[in-house]
């Protein structure tokens, strides 16, 4: 009981300070009141205040400054909203060259929790579309972070991007021409060609595929990377996104939205996904946890458009999910307890600070 009260106290402090930071009551680069002042204000112990501050630090709202206190580093649009859970804050350890990988101590703790919680269930094979628990967790995450509102039965879990591309070909046919970005990620072209698909390379402009190329191609399927296309780094602006959607509507085609780079995009507000702009029939959304958690997590997922879900799922009726149940339940736990989004916030904070330091050095 005492432990529950302690947890509730530090969460109350955390939520109140977080709300004041977001509202601007504690603006960017201002310092929060001292820990002792906060302890008196909230009528709690210093340890409770330290726990609340540590969680705010982990999520990228504040950062400690030696002999000065906690400085506010939050900027509007900089962070994802994080579901609040009653969990003990975990100290972040230095990751050297692996700053974008999920912190190992927290990952190990999550895995132990999954082993304890699910026990023999981790030995079972998941449903063909993936574990329902993970699909529910992804649906909730996309709703709060990307304004995408989907049902779990629209989601398919795949063993990495390669498996996802192969499933797309099964659903959309090998007889279609697939338009891809040029220059673009070479593996996309190779995988499609290995699946027996004809590929049309469409030249990139400063904000996406050139309009003349969209008009020229005979493709009815377009694979695009709206956020930070590789290797150009080009991101599609609002006008280009509307152009892609118009292209799909006029041709009765399909857009494959590869959103692999969105979570680590620049700190400016992330634009709406193509799927969020047209969720009913024109867009298949793709993303992966390989880059945001660790390369060993070969877990990708796709979201099918609502009106075409039954049709597309019917073409892969014998689907078998090749991702281990244990890995799926681990990712679901990270999404549900807020650990995944706290990690994204930490990385975004580090990127912003590195950018600030570089500009300062210039």
């Amino acid at each position: 009981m005492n432990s529950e009260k302690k947890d509730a106290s530090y969460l109350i402090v955390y939520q109140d300070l977080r709300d004041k930071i977001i509202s601007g009551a504690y603006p960017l680069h201002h310092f929060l009141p001292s820990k002792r002042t906060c302890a008196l204000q909230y009528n709690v112990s210093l340890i409770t205040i330290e726990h609340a501050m540590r969680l705010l630090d982990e999520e990228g709202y504040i950062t400690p400054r030696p002999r000065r206190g906690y400085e506010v580093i939050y900027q509007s649009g900089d962070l994802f909203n994080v579901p609040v859970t009653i969990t003990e804050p975990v100290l972040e350890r230095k990751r050297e060259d692996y700053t974008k990988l999920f912190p190992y101590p927290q990952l190990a703790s999550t895995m132990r929790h999954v082993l304890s919680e699910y026990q023999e269930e981790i030995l079972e094979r998941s449903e063909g579309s993936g574990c329902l628990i993970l699909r529910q967790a992804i649906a909730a995450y996309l709703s709060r972070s990307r304004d995408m509102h989907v049902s779990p039965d629209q989601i398919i879990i795949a063993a990495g991007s390669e498996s996802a591309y192969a499933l797309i070909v099964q659903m959309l046919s090998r007889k279609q021409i697939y338009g891809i970005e040029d220059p673009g990620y070479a593996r996309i072209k190779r995988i499609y060609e290995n699946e027996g698909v004809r590929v049309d390379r469409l030249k990139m402009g400063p904000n996406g595929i050139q309009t003349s190329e969209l008009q020229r191609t005979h493709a009815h399927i377009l694979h695009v990377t709206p956020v930070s296309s590789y290797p150009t780094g080009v991101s599609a602006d609002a006008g280009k996104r509307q152009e892609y959607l118009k292209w799909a509507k006029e041709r009765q085609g399909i857009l494959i939205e590869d959103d692999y780079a969105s979570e680590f995009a620049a700190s400016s507000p992330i634009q709406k996904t193509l799927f969020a702009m047209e969720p009913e029939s024109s867009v298949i959304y793709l993303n992966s946890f390989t880059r945001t958690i660790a390369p060993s997590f070969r877990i990708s997922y796709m979201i099918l458009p609502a009106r075409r879900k039954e049709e597309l799922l019917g073409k892969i009726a014998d689907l078998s999910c090749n991702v281990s149940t244990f890995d799926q339940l681990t990712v679901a736990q990270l999404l549900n307890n807020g650990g995944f989004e706290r990690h994204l916030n930490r990385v975004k904070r580090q990127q912003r600070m590195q950018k600030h330091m570089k500009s300062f050095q210039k």
Side-chain angles (χ1 to χ4, degrees):
M1 187 67 177
N2 291 336
S3 174
E4 291 177 2
K5 288 182 178 179
K6 172 185 165 184
D7 283 334
S9 296
Y10 97 76
L11 280 172
I12 290 170
V13 175
Y14 154 78
Q15 290 172 341
D16 187 61
L17 289 173
R18 182 195 63 182
D19 291 345
K20 288 178 178 177
I21 290 170
I22 292 174
S23 69
Y26 294 124
L28 179 66
H29 299 315
H30 281 61
F31 283 80
L32 297 184
S34 69
K35 290 186 287 187
R36 191 171 297 279
T37 299
C38 286
L40 292 172
Q41 178 183 343
Y42 291 101
N43 193 28
V44 295
S45 69
L46 281 173
I47 293 176
T48 297
I49 296 298
E50 288 172 355
H51 286 171
M53 296 294 189
R54 190 177 301 158
L55 188 53
L56 288 167
D57 177 25
E58 287 181 356
E59 294 183 3
Y61 291 100
I62 61 175
T63 191
R65 301 296 186 194
R67 297 184 295 279
R68 298 190 65 190
Y70 291 93
E71 180 185 356
V72 175
I73 60 172
Y74 167 82
Q75 299 183 70
S76 178
D78 190 35
L79 304 175
F80 293 105
N81 292 323
V82 178
V84 176
T85 54
I86 300 177
T87 55
E88 197 67 17
V90 181
L91 284 172
E92 179 183 357
R93 74 184 183 108
K94 187 177 180 181
R95 298 204 56 82
E96 299 180 352
D97 295 330
Y98 300 94
T99 55
K100 287 188 178 181
L101 300 187
F102 198 93
Y104 175 77
Q106 296 174 43
L107 183 58
S109 175
T110 301
M111 288 178 164
R112 288 193 295 270
H113 175 85
V114 169
L115 287 169
S116 174
E117 178 76 14
Y118 294 97
Q119 300 184 27
E120 287 86 354
E121 288 183 48
I122 68 168
L123 304 177
E124 298 175 4
R125 174 177 288 186
S126 71
E127 300 174 43
S129 294
C131 290
L132 177 59
I133 292 173
L134 176 56
R135 290 185 283 123
Q136 290 172 331
I138 290 172
Y141 163 69
L142 292 175
S143 176
R144 63 180 177 258
S145 68
R146 304 307 305 274
D147 195 28
M148 293 171 58
H149 306 288
V150 304
S151 63
D153 60 2
Q154 289 176 253
I155 301 174
I156 298 175
I157 307 300
S161 299
E162 296 87 343
S163 295
Y165 299 158
L167 285 173
I168 285 172
V169 172
Q170 286 183 249
M171 289 188 290
L172 300 182
S173 168
R174 289 179 171 81
K175 297 178 181 179
Q176 295 280 4
I177 299 174
Y178 287 61
I180 63 173
E181 298 169 341
D182 182 25
Y185 187 38
R187 183 173 290 182
I188 294 175
K189 177 177 180 292
R190 186 164 61 249
I191 293 171
Y192 280 143
E193 289 180 338
N194 288 343
E195 290 293 323
V197 164
R198 181 182 168 191
V199 170
D200 188 5
R201 301 169 66 176
L202 310 180
K203 292 183 175 61
M204 293 286 284
N207 62 350
I209 296 173
Q210 297 176 10
T211 299
S212 59
E213 290 288 89
L214 291 172
Q215 295 170 345
R216 172 193 63 77
T217 185
H218 293 290
H220 282 75
I221 298 167
L222 189 64
H223 189 127
V224 294
T225 311
V227 179
S228 191
S229 176
Y230 181 85
T232 61
V234 166
S235 291
D237 60 18
K240 182 59 69 174
R241 290 166 190 254
Q242 289 290 352
E243 185 178 0
Y244 287 155
L245 291 171
K246 182 181 178 183
W247 178 94
K249 182 178 180 181
E250 290 177 347
R251 299 202 179 198
Q252 297 184 331
I254 286 283
L255 298 173
I256 300 168
E257 181 178 16
D258 200 331
D259 205 32
Y260 82 100
S262 63
E263 280 91 354
F264 292 145
S267 60
S268 56
I270 296 176
Q271 293 198 50
K272 269 195 170 185
T273 62
L274 294 170
F275 189 98
M277 296 167 71
E278 206 295 281
E280 296 299 319
S281 59
S282 300
V283 185
I284 294 176
Y285 177 89
L286 294 178
N287 210 328
S288 169
F289 295 104
T290 300
R291 189 166 182 257
T292 48
I293 297 180
S296 60
F297 276 74
R298 305 298 298 168
I299 304 179
S300 294
Y301 61 94
M302 73 174 75
I303 316 292
L304 303 180
R307 290 179 188 166
R308 304 191 64 173
K309 175 192 65 178
E310 299 298 335
E311 168 202 346
L312 296 176
L313 284 175
K315 294 181 179 180
I316 51 172
D318 297 327
L319 170 68
S320 177
C321 184
N322 293 323
V323 181
S324 77
T325 299
F326 178 58
D327 283 355
Q328 291 187 64
L329 293 174
T330 298
V331 174
Q333 180 67 16
L334 292 175
L335 291 171
N336 288 333
N337 69 16
F340 179 72
E341 285 144 294
R342 282 195 288 273
H343 166 59
L344 299 183
N345 290 339
R346 277 195 297 269
V347 174
K348 287 168 70 68
R349 183 189 69 188
Q350 291 165 357
Q351 290 177 326
R352 188 178 70 248
M353 293 180 69
Q354 289 169 0
K355 183 178 180 181
H356 176 74
M357 290 299 296
K358 287 180 180 179
S359 62
F360 178 78
Q361 291 170 356
K362 290 180 180 179

